Every structure is written in structure tokens, then in C-alpha cells.
Amino acid sequence: MNSQAIKALTFAILCSLSTLVFAQSSNYYRQAIQALNTGDLNLAVTKFQEAIKLNTQNQDAWYYLGMTLMRLEQYQQAAFSFKKLEAVNPNYKSWFYFETAKALIELGKFSAAETYLQKFEAKRSKGPKHTTTKHLIKNRLLYSQISPLIRDLPVTMKEPLPIDAINSLSNDYMPQVNPMGNRLYFTSVRKGGFNRMDDSTNTNNWGEDVYFSTLENESWSDPVALPAPINSIGNDFGSAFTADGQTMVFVRCGDENSVGNCDLYITQLNGTEWSEPQNMGNVVNSEAWDSQPTISSDGNRIIFASSREGGYGGMDLYLIEKNYLGFWGIPQNLGSTVNTPLNDNSPYLAADGKTLYYATGGHPGYGGMDIFYTLLESGKWSKPANVGRPLNSSGDDTNFTISALGIAYFASSRLDESNYDIFEVELPDHLKPKPTAVVQGVVSSAKDGQPLDAWVVVEDINSSELLAINKSNATTGEYTVVLPAGRHYSVSANSDGFFFYSQSFELPKDTSYQEITKDIALEPIEKGAKVVLNNIFFEVGRAELKPISYVELNKAVELLENNGSMVIEVGGHTDSQGSDEQNLKLSQARANSVKDYLVLAGIVDTRIRAKGYGESQPIADNTTSEGRASNRRTEFVIIEF
């Protein structure tokens, strides 16, 4: 065989071998794609790597290898794969430049990430159909530029500690603490809840259920699953409660009557039993994922996360409020100051009603999801601020909640990137919400001491603005009201067949957190019953009513309107300061002022008698300022009923 023939044969053999190699590479690539489709990411990585060994120019294999490694959070290897792809074909699908930047951000290589974002921006279309991509690029550029500065900020708090008594081998997350900080609700996928025990595929995920733990002697008790109808065989999670613990909003997925795949549900505590949860309907819920609610202390507002269309990208935060009919209104997006082109979720509205904590990957931070806070000021949300480290970490930190005292709880993957645990930390003062007071107690009958199911109403005593309406527990009579600092409040209780009772609280802006226990004994409406109207105020030494008395007087008008046969005596009383004659005259004039107000409001004159008693019937010691204040009072006595 001559040399020409040998060369031809060698070339043919090489071509045949090359064809076989490329064919085998393509076969590995197909196997990798099949593994991807079945969810076996590790097998997919192996097959892509085998395909690349046989054909280093296989650009599809480099791309999907990088994408698979991103899903596995193996960012170093992912960035390597994308850079290899760039060397093979820099004009491949332009999105791989963005994925390279994402990997580099996760690795903390911000300067390199900026370079790849700029490459991505240069290759993307500038047309109007690509505006959302432009926003995303700008967001990630800002993240890369600002995050190094945030990460250099000084530490302002102690290291958060995992709560061993609550955490399990499974995912534990979405904590919600009550205002007093002695009960913690959370979601877990641990075994032992309302599980599908016959599902052999379960390992550490037995479905989502809501649990609670109580703080006893500074230790958290063993978690207990909430009973049916809250928990079910399906996924039930993300519980949020009003301050009194008697209204709960949570999430249920996969119900046959759901609006979307996961919807918001609401339920009421009646005595010791929860009502059947009600889907909040298609005004609130969408066909998309609606989840992670927080409800205001007074129960009038809910903020939640949703992936519905029309947002800024990924998950966004939305607000709903009760309208004048008591129905929940249409969700309103919180806007671009709060929401980003990435995921924004797990909102928590603090007891002050103005401080919102939430988790986002869209604002500059420490990596993964970080916890931020924003303040509602003059109807607008302020620029979100990162709460800092070590609360935030390089892992995912989310599901923040805080007691009125300032002890925070949150979920984090910092110990295990595939598993969430619940952590506890005390926030520094500058990160805490505005101070609040927790007023709690028991509403009962003054006649027999039995607990009462009563309405507890909170109003601004200066403006008469109705701020909240709560109910005491039907079985225990317990009530809880959270009052943000900076207002003068009237807190009243009323129940059918009983006199209303009011108490005023002034909480200056500089008030620190406090807990006030105020048990309320309501007098039954019957002949001879006598009550003190605590919120009737007069000018010093005069009979003119102060405007702040109108809230209380309007309750008296309503009481008389609802009980048409009632005849009352308005009794005026003074302390012992001044002469008997002056005090008697002043008390009569003040009783007359109250009667005049009631008559002007439409109550028939003959149903009201006014009598001044001066200083003759003290109920406290006149030698102290507190005692004298108690003796200066207005009383109602039922004469006929």
C-alpha cells in the first residue's frame, strides 16, 4: 500500500473514531437531559460531564451543566462551566451571562459579577419588550455595588441562637410570636403531625402543619400541633394572628375548592374551638401562589406574598384592608420601593402597625434571602434597610417575627443549606418597632364573676377615631389589646345586657414597652346598678365638658337608645378640696352638663335626672392626688328599667 493510500485510510479511521466519540458524547447529553426531566440533578451533572469529556466543544452540555449546578447551589463549578461556554461560543444564549453573574454574586465576587452583567446588558435587545430585563440588570448591578459596603458594617447585636426545644431534623420555619412573647407558632414538616403515613417516599418531609410552643420558666415547651380543622392531611402553614390570638390567617394548599394552588384562609377562635377555616375568596386569592400572610394587631389589614401576574417579578408583597362593609378589599401591591424584580416574601407587620419586616433577595445584603425593614410614613413605605449581621447571614434568612419587648425569631438555613431552623435574638433598640403597650385582662360579670364574651373597642380619645374592635374570649373572658405609643386611648368593653366600661390610657411617644393588666367587671343592666364613667372630663373648677369626653358620652347615648325603658340618674361628685357649698354647686352643674349633652343627642329629658353630691360620697382617700382624682367622677345609676 502506497503512502497516499495509508494517509487516506488513517484519515478515514480518524473520522470514524471522531464520529463515534461525538455520537457517544451526544448519547451522554441525552441521558443528562432525561435525568434532568426526572429531577435527578446529580446524575444529570455526571452525564453532562461525561459528554463534555468526549466533546469539549459541546456548548449545550456546558450550558445545562452550569444551570444544573446553579440549582444544586454549587456556584463555583457553575461559574466555571459558564466561563468555558463563553470560550466555546461567546454568542450563545445571552442569559448565560446573567447566570454567571448570579453565581459570582453568590461567591461574593462582585466586581466580576458587574463585568458579566455589563456583558449581558450589551447583548440584550433594547426594545420595549425587554424593559423588565433592563430593570433586573440594574437591580443586580446595584446589588453588586452596595452589598460590599453593607457587609462591612459593624455588628450591632449578639449572635442568634437556634431554639433546640423547637427545632427538629426536618424543616422548621415561619415562626409567629404573640405580643407578650410567651407563645410561638411555627410551621414544620416533621413526622407526627397530620401526616400521610402510608407515603413511603417521605424522609424528613411529612407535609406542612402548624405547631405551637409556650415559654415556661424561660424554656420553650415541647411543640404541639394545632388540632383540626386548622391542620389537615394537606399542607397547612404560615399562621398569623391578631394581637388577641383570636383571629388566624394561614395558608392551605391543594384544596379542591381553592382559587389557586395555595390560598389564604381565615378562622376565628370561639372559646376553645377554632371555626371551620374559610377560603378568603377570589377577591383576595388568585390562580397563582398566595401565601405567608401577616395580620395587623387589630385585624384590619393583611400583608401577604404572591406570585400573581402584574407584580415586579418573582414574588411580591400585597396589602388588603377591610372596607366599610367588613369585607376584605382588592390586594394592592406595596410598590417598587419595597418589591424588587426578585423574590420578596415572608412579611411581618409589627404591633405598632407601621414597621414591616420582610425577606428579599432583591436588595443589597449578605447573600441568599436577607431580612429588611421598612416604615409606613405619611402613607408611604420608607426605603428598606437591612437589619444587618449576624441576624442576616450568607444563607437564607426569612420569616421574621418579634415580640413587643423586642425579642426576634426567624428561620434560617445558615447551619444547613437544605434545612431551615428557627433562631432567637434580641434586637438593638434602633431595629425594634415603635414602643407599644399590651393591655390584657379578663372581662367578667360584676354580679357573679362569670367570664363574658364582650366587645373590646379602642378609640383615640382626642379625635374619636375608631382604631380597633376586638372580642374577649367567649370561654375565658380574656382580652388583649396592643396600643402603639404616641396617642391618648379609650379602651372600652361592652356586652349584651351589661353596662359598658371604659378606661383611658395616654402613651407618650417616648414611652417604653409596658404590659398593663386591667380586669374589667361589667355591671348588669338592672334597676339599682351603678357605674362610674371614667372618661368624662371637665375644665378645672368648671362645669364645661372637655371634647375628649364625647367618646364616652356617645357610648352612653347608644346605651340609652338600645334600652328604651331605662331611666338613669347622672350623679356628679367632687373631691374635698374647697367648701362643701362650692363642691355641691359644682357637682350639680357638671351633672347638668352631662344631661344636656344626652338630651341634645336625642334622649328624652324625662329619662335623665341630674343630681350633684359634692364631696359627700367619696370612694377613695382624699389625702392623696390619686384618691382625689377617683372621687372627682360622674356616675350613672339605673332608676327604672
Side-chain angles (χ1 to χ4, degrees), residues 86 103 135 243 266 346 517 570 576-577:
E86 182 182 16
H135 291 178
I266 193 164
S346 68
T517 299
V570 178
S576 62
Q577 301 292 301

Side-chain angles (χ1 to χ4, degrees), residues 115-163:
T115 298
Y116 274 90
L117 286 167
Q118 291 162 354
K119 289 181 179 180
F120 178 53
E121 186 174 29
K123 291 182 177 294
R124 293 298 296 171
S125 170
K126 303 301 187 292
K129 294 182 179 180
H130 301 277
T131 305
T132 54
T133 302
K134 181 180 179 181
H135 291 178
L136 182 61
I137 294 170
K138 294 300 182 184
N139 175 276
R140 294 294 84 188
L141 281 170
L142 183 65
Y143 186 97
S144 300
Q145 293 161 2
I146 304 300
S147 289
L149 304 178
I150 290 179
R151 297 181 186 192
D152 285 340
L153 292 175
V155 173
T156 60
M157 69 190 82
K158 295 180 179 179
E159 188 74 28
L161 298 175
I163 307 177

Side-chain angles (χ1 to χ4, degrees), residues 330-379:
I330 297 172
Q332 303 296 315
N333 191 292
L334 290 195
S336 59
T337 299
V338 172
N339 290 313
T340 70
L342 278 75
N343 287 330
D344 309 283
N345 55 36
S346 68
Y348 177 75
L349 188 62
D352 64 1
K354 296 181 179 297
T355 308
L356 176 67
Y357 300 87
Y358 72 108
T360 179
H363 291 297
Y366 296 86
M369 299 291 287
D370 274 10
I371 294 168
F372 285 73
Y373 72 97
T374 175
L375 303 176
L376 185 62
E377 300 172 330
S378 301

Side-chain angles (χ1 to χ4, degrees), residues 3 9 30 49 81 96 107 125 167 180 201 278 348 362 379 381 396 406 451 529 545 569 579 607:
S3 61
L9 179 60
R30 285 192 297 271
Q49 289 172 336
S81 298
F96 89 84
L107 295 169
S125 170
N167 293 319
M180 290 74 71
T201 64
Q278 298 297 311
Y348 177 75
W381 295 103
D396 285 330
L545 286 161
E569 177 190 274
S579 69
R607 297 179 59 198

Side-chain angles (χ1 to χ4, degrees), residues 517-595:
T517 299
K518 184 63 180 178
D519 294 332
I520 300 173
L522 298 184
E523 292 286 347
I525 297 176
E526 58 188 16
K527 186 175 180 179
K530 179 189 296 186
V531 294
V532 176
L533 302 187
N534 289 307
N535 294 336
I536 303 295
F537 303 99
F538 299 91
E539 297 294 341
V540 177
R542 298 164 62 183
E544 287 84 6
L545 286 161
K546 287 187 175 182
I548 59 175
S549 305
Y550 299 161
V551 170
E552 188 93 337
L553 289 169
N554 290 336
K555 290 184 174 65
V557 171
E558 184 179 2
L559 175 70
L560 289 164
E561 288 177 340
N562 293 337
N563 297 274
S565 63
M566 182 185 293
V567 178
I568 64 167
E569 177 190 274
V570 178
H573 299 265
T574 69
D575 58 28
S576 62
Q577 301 292 301
S579 69
D580 292 352
E581 182 180 355
Q582 288 175 328
N583 287 335
L584 188 61
K585 182 179 179 180
L586 178 61
S587 65
Q588 183 65 53
R590 287 179 170 179
N592 289 338
S593 292
V594 172
K595 177 180 178 178

Side-chain angles (χ1 to χ4, degrees), residues 65 71 113 135 139 153 176 208 263 463:
L65 173 60
R71 290 176 62 183
H135 291 178
N139 175 276
L153 292 175
Q176 161 109 10
E208 292 173 302
D263 285 356
S463 66

Side-chain angles (χ1 to χ4, degrees), residues 402-444:
I402 187 170
S403 69
L405 186 59
I407 306 300
Y409 304 86
F410 64 100
S412 178
S413 64
R414 66 187 62 199
L415 299 181
D416 180 351
E417 64 184 19
S418 63
N419 190 67
Y420 282 94
D421 288 311
I422 296 173
F423 289 74
E424 176 182 31
V425 66
E426 182 174 2
L427 284 193
D429 288 343
H430 73 280
L431 294 177
K432 293 178 182 177
K434 294 181 179 180
T436 56
V438 177
V439 183
Q440 57 186 333
V442 174
V443 182
S444 62

Side-chain angles (χ1 to χ4, degrees), residues 242 244 246-249 265-268 280 283-284 294-304 318-332 349 455 466-471:
T242 51
D244 60 9
Q246 297 195 83
T247 298
M248 176 171 66
V249 182
Y265 284 71
I266 193 164
T267 177
Q268 306 290 332
M280 296 189 71
V283 172
V284 173
T294 179
I295 187 168
S296 60
S297 295
D298 58 16
N300 288 325
R301 286 176 292 164
I302 293 173
I303 298 175
F304 64 99
Y318 291 81
L319 167 71
I320 57 174
E321 295 183 286
K322 281 185 180 178
N323 61 24
Y324 70 98
L325 295 173
F327 296 122
W328 291 100
I330 297 172
Q332 303 296 315
L349 188 62
W455 290 103
L466 177 62
L467 301 175
I469 300 177
N470 297 329
K471 286 199 78 174

